Amino acid sequence: MQILLTGGTGLVGRALCRHFSQQGHSLIVLSRDPGKVAGLCSGARGIGSLEELNVTDAVDAVINLAGAPIADRPWTKGRRRMLRESRIDLTRNLVDWMSRRDQAPGVLLSASATGWYGDRGEEQLDETSAAPVADFASQLCQDWEAEVMRAAELGTRVACLRFAPVLAADGGMLARLLPVFRLGLGGRLGSGQQWMPWIHLDDLVRLFDHLLSNDSCQGIYNACSPMPVRNAEFTRILAQTVRRPAIFPAPAWLLRLALGEMSILLTGGQHVMPKRTADSGFDWQYPELSAALQQLLHKPA
């Protein structure tokens, strides 16, 4: 199978490239710096634009991961525009390109985020839950998914994965938290009572493989552990795993002062359950947080 990836040089994309190349699939990665793709993405072919692919370059599947990081900097007007362009505009262009192919790719798997659900307090959520009154992050996900789903009109099987924060030792949220927690300076965020979905990187890769391999899988899938925790519990378990105390909470007012509207990513919560994911037959390797962190932080070198 030949797979086209957008956003393939990021944390998840690199892991997917390793996985699918080991299975013998051929990989093409759309990147702003195609010369670096082979080194970063397990020998994948790098392209700088979709127009570099001609009709003889068969594409059997597309995995769409592209999107500027949402939590790297405050949501200024310019940053909001970049976040939308890097997700919505790119996805629109991708689906338009698929529509111009003599034969559209058979399957499109696309990233979204559990931020789609907004800050929902104690409400238990799954893939059938109604959309919230949207904040910026939620509306971004809703508009992104709308562009992805246009591909179904081409006869392409489409699945959207709503990512929870991805746990990996060498990137993402966990890599940013570790230096603070290893110094014993970690603590809960806000009240600590907000629900916090999460997923181990290996399980996310396995979920992509599962959805790609099963022709009956289409629609929305929550890419998260079936055992979400509250932020205070996440903090306690992470501190315990690195054998340090966690006694320095960050008050909600301070986070709002420092981050503005973006603070909702830290103080808001979603009690998200992966119902359709479980119903599809997917089985988690790391459903429980303590075991997931132990494997990531104490695995043999």
Side-chain angles (χ1 to χ4, degrees), residues 1-256:
M1 180 182 292
Q2 182 145 264
I3 304 171
L4 170 67
L5 289 95
T6 71
T9 58
L11 174 70
V12 176
R14 295 194 307 272
L16 289 173
C17 285
R18 286 193 298 272
H19 177 80
F20 287 123
S21 65
Q22 289 170 359
Q23 292 190 335
H25 297 299
S26 176
L27 300 165
I28 302 170
V29 174
L30 177 66
S31 171
R32 288 173 294 182
D33 197 349
K36 295 183 178 180
V37 164
L40 291 172
C41 302
S42 305
R45 171 188 170 191
I47 58 172
S49 72
L50 293 168
E51 284 64 38
E52 293 179 39
L53 296 175
N54 57 44
V55 292
T56 62
D57 292 311
V59 175
D60 303 297
V62 177
I63 297 178
N64 180 33
L65 306 173
I70 195 168
D72 276 17
R73 61 193 72 172
W75 295 339
T76 63
K77 184 177 180 181
R79 187 63 178 174
R80 289 172 187 248
R81 182 170 60 251
M82 178 179 288
L83 291 170
R84 290 186 63 84
E85 288 174 352
S86 66
R87 288 165 172 75
I88 297 160
D89 292 2
L90 187 146
T91 300
R92 181 182 302 122
N93 292 337
L94 177 65
V95 174
D96 288 346
W97 171 82
M98 291 170 57
S99 73
R100 295 192 296 270
R101 304 281 291 174
D102 290 342
Q103 182 172 353
V107 57
L108 169 61
L109 306 181
S110 185
S112 181
T114 54
W116 185 95
Y117 297 99
D119 181 8
R120 304 288 279 271
E122 294 298 306
E123 182 182 359
Q124 190 170 117
L125 306 161
D126 62 34
E127 296 90 343
T128 65
S129 298
V133 176
D135 56 28
F136 172 74
S138 175
Q139 191 64 58
L140 181 68
C141 291
Q142 291 180 47
D143 294 345
W144 192 9
E145 291 183 11
E147 292 296 336
V148 173
M149 290 303 178
R150 290 196 304 120
E153 300 169 8
L154 309 176
T156 298
R157 178 169 64 88
V158 179
C160 257
L161 290 77
R162 290 179 180 159
F163 289 17
V166 179
L167 301 187
D170 56 351
M173 176 188 71
L174 184 59
R176 292 194 292 271
L177 290 175
L178 278 174
V180 176
F181 274 75
R182 282 174 168 155
L183 289 171
L185 300 176
R188 60 174 170 77
L189 302 177
S191 70
Q193 292 305 297
Q194 66 272 32
W195 285 99
M196 187 174 171
W198 61 275
I199 189 168
H200 190 297
L201 177 61
D202 289 355
D203 276 334
L204 181 57
V205 169
R206 292 175 59 251
L207 178 56
F208 269 99
D209 192 328
H210 172 77
L211 296 176
L212 185 64
S213 303
N214 288 275
D215 291 342
S216 62
C217 291
Q218 56 187 330
I220 303 299
Y221 294 90
N222 285 333
C224 58
S225 162
M227 300 175 67
V229 295
R230 297 183 189 273
N231 176 262
E233 182 74 354
F234 182 93
T235 297
R236 183 188 66 78
I237 293 172
L238 177 56
Q240 184 180 59
T241 305
V242 298
R243 303 182 180 94
R244 293 290 187 275
I247 55 175
F248 293 94
W253 67 264
L254 182 61
L255 294 169
R256 286 192 295 269

